[in-house]
Amino acid sequence: MTHPEGAPRSNDGNDDHQVQPQAVRYPRPTVSLDEAEWVWRQLSVEALRPDGKPEIVRLAVIAGLTRATGARYGDLLRVRAEDLDLGPDDGAGRGRVGGVRAPGEGRVLVRHGKHRTLRRHRVPGEVVVVLRHWMVVRTELAAELEGSVPRALLLTVHHTHDNGTTVSSGLPITRQGLVLSWRRFVHRTNARYGATRPPLPTRFEQVRRAWTDAGMPDPGTSVHEAK
């Protein structure tokens, strides 16, 4: 009898005892929690420097929100500016997110997964500081656009080219844009610290899972979105 390619079989040849390969949920190893926390500290410090680049500020926002909510790239791309409540000092606050908040703490609405499950998460004060800075940078990035600032929280930070056409910065970023942005940070960081620390992984998911496996993200509360 012909067996599927790669399927192991027992020594006695009995198909009923065929050994099934163990399913692997995520094939790449996660980094340690200490390593993931190093990434967050590195990005948050660089983001708040006077000469901090917009791309680093955006990466700090991604790391901070992922650490706080467990969100994946696709979830973060669905977050809108009005989904944030950064506290009484946030001029853009709409009061839409709601919830009881500790001093300095914020709130964010995230649509998780393919079913867009809406949950309200707490955002720690150190992430709120980075988010407030990003909201200023975000407005500056979209200053040259015609019309209003896009609703998406995460915007492009560079002029890009699409089929020979120059695309302005300040537009909603794509998943591929987030992938490339993380890889640029990884390559720069690995080159800078190559002799003193382990290299960072080229997939941000390996960092995200270190936080989620440690139970760090706030599980949030379910919210029913008005149609």
Side-chain angles (χ1 to χ4, degrees):
M1 180 176 178
T2 303
H3 291 266
E5 183 179 355
R9 56 182 297 175
S10 60
N11 291 334
D12 62 7
N14 189 339
D15 292 342
D16 292 337
H17 297 329
Q18 180 174 308
V19 180
Q20 297 297 325
Q22 185 175 3
V24 179
R25 184 166 177 262
Y26 187 72
R28 293 174 181 259
T30 61
V31 302
S32 68
L33 180 58
D34 286 344
E35 188 79 348
E37 288 292 273
W38 184 91
V39 168
W40 159 242
R41 290 193 301 271
Q42 186 76 5
L43 285 170
S44 61
V45 169
E46 288 189 26
L48 297 177
R49 287 175 178 163
D51 59 346
K53 296 181 179 180
E55 183 174 29
I56 294 297
V57 183
R58 187 182 61 199
L59 279 171
V61 166
I62 292 166
L65 286 179
T66 299
R67 182 173 176 264
T69 69
R72 292 179 167 85
Y73 275 163
D75 306 331
L76 293 175
L77 290 172
R78 289 188 287 268
V79 176
R80 302 176 298 225
E82 62 262 33
D83 293 329
L84 291 176
D85 177 1
L86 303 182
D89 294 332
D90 176 32
R94 305 293 196 279
R96 176 176 180 272
V97 182
V100 178
R101 200 179 45 242
E105 200 174 68
R107 288 288 186 273
V108 63
L109 292 174
V110 180
R111 296 158 185 81
H112 289 276
K114 64 180 181 179
H115 297 297
R116 311 293 196 267
T117 303
L118 187 63
R119 300 190 69 81
R120 179 192 296 119
H121 299 271
R122 295 191 305 271
V123 179
E126 62 268 25
V127 182
V128 170
V129 172
V130 173
L131 279 165
R132 283 188 176 140
H133 183 42
W134 168 247
M135 296 304 284
V136 175
V137 173
R138 179 178 174 276
T139 301
E140 294 172 350
L141 289 170
E144 297 181 9
L145 297 178
E146 295 183 5
S148 59
V149 177
R151 297 175 69 189
L153 176 65
L154 301 177
L155 305 181
T156 57
V157 299
H158 303 295
H159 291 296
T160 58
H161 296 279
D162 185 7
N163 293 325
T165 302
T166 299
V167 180
S168 176
S169 63
L171 297 173
I173 195 170
T174 63
R175 179 185 177 86
Q176 182 65 11
L178 296 185
V179 169
L180 295 176
S181 183
W182 169 253
R183 287 180 181 172
R184 283 192 293 269
F185 170 72
V186 165
H187 293 323
R188 290 194 304 266
T189 304
N190 288 346
R192 181 180 179 185
Y193 295 100
T196 59
R197 62 181 315 283
L200 292 175
T202 56
R203 293 193 180 185
F204 183 69
E205 174 67 7
Q206 293 167 262
V207 178
R208 187 194 74 85
R209 283 179 57 83
W211 287 317
T212 58
D213 289 351
M216 289 192 64
D218 171 48
T221 56
S222 296
V223 178
H224 296 289
E225 191 163 21
K227 300 297 183 181

